[in-house]
Amino acid sequence: MSLIGRSRELDRILSVIRGPKDSALKVVGRRGMGKSALLSEIPRLSDARTVFLTASTSESDWPLSGLTALLTGIDDPVLNRFADELLRDSTGAMDVPTVSTLLLNGLHQRSSSRTVIVIDDADQLDPSSQAVIGYLARRLTGTDMALFMGVREETAESPYASLPALQLTPLNYNDTVRMLEAIPARQTSTAAVHAVAAATQGNPLAAVELFTLLLERAADGKYALPVPLPGKGSFEAEFAATVGGLSPAARQVLDLLSLSCRSDIATLERTYDQLWGGIEELLANGMVGRSGPHLRIQDQLLRGYVYAAMTPAT
Ligand SMILES: Nc1ncnc2c1ncn2[C@@H]1O[C@H](COP(=O)(O)OP(=O)(O)OP(=O)(O)O)[C@@H](O)[C@H]1O
Ligand SMILES: [Mg+2]
């Protein structure tokens, strides 16, 4: 699938590859925002040799496993020696500061052409590898390395906290439509494309998943768009956690609001005056928005999730 609507981001990445200003950049974005899709374009951007590492959560308990995998991937005589030492170091004598300093010296000894390192899901690496890589990332100027990392969230305690960041923002509506139109479908479904683009607010994963679901329904002969659109797929766990953290009153209001794309405040007040605390909670945390005399659940997929959680499965 070709990348849509990220030319500004690609320019920023290219400027880091070319140097000399920044040598490391972290691409930050929430689940499904397109970090992996963007990072996977990097090998095509320049002639520089690119080494790609995707952190695997299964290995993340083993100290320095991520770093060892990375060094092996770079496959350079100087760095291979370190990788061997790390693998041999069963006693754990190589602590984070030692490894960091040794490697930094190693990087300065290297004199090959520019090497671009891409680490997707860098926040999933084992903590020691994150510490070493964070340390090196801040000191790459003067080496022949450029480093790109994909991370979901920025936290103040992260070893990557002080690195230059490229925050991925939602795709705009037209780009979302273009992305969905590029998905092979047996028949064109303009209504579905636009319904999905409107409901998913620029999150590419949410859009692709919902659109695929609608295409499957259409293949089963169900052409009418379900109302509300189902909040299924990769975001379900997030929705469950958000909803699970609400007070019982807020939860009850959310159920009521999910029945309709917008609800009249006066009616709610008359019928459910004891729920006002719940409404205030939902307005305060941004899950519900008010426009004129109406309230609505902001995220249409969350509405679908809440609705489905309420009604018996069919
Ligand atoms: N700019 C884009 N153009 C076309 N397709 C895109 C774009 N961005 C993302 N996608 C598609 O959207 C889906 C989700 O994107 P991706 O996997 O890159 O998200 P992510 O940020 O890496 O998510 P996660 O946090 O779960 O790792 C993929 O199918 C991807 O191909
Ligand atoms: Mg990803």
Side-chain angles (χ1 to χ4, degrees), residues 1-6 27-40 120-121 123 150-152 168 171 175 178-180 182-183 202-209 234-235:
M1 187 186 289
S2 64
L3 196 72
I4 289 168
R6 294 291 192 205
V27 173
V28 188
R30 61 177 290 226
R31 176 195 299 277
M33 203 51 97
K35 301 176 292 296
S36 301
L38 179 67
L39 292 174
S40 64
D120 198 6
D121 301 327
D123 46 357
V151 298
R152 270 205 191 144
L168 278 193
L171 288 185
D175 286 337
R178 277 171 57 213
M179 178 185 79
L180 295 176
I183 295 176
N203 186 296
L205 178 64
V208 170
E209 280 188 354
S234 302
F235 293 84

Side-chain angles (χ1 to χ4, degrees), residues 242-243 245-247 250 254 278-289 298 302:
T242 319
V243 169
L246 294 172
S247 71
L254 202 64
I279 294 180
E280 277 176 346
E281 180 179 333
L282 294 168
L283 285 168
N285 69 17
M287 284 166 81
V288 166
Q298 299 282 25
L302 174 66

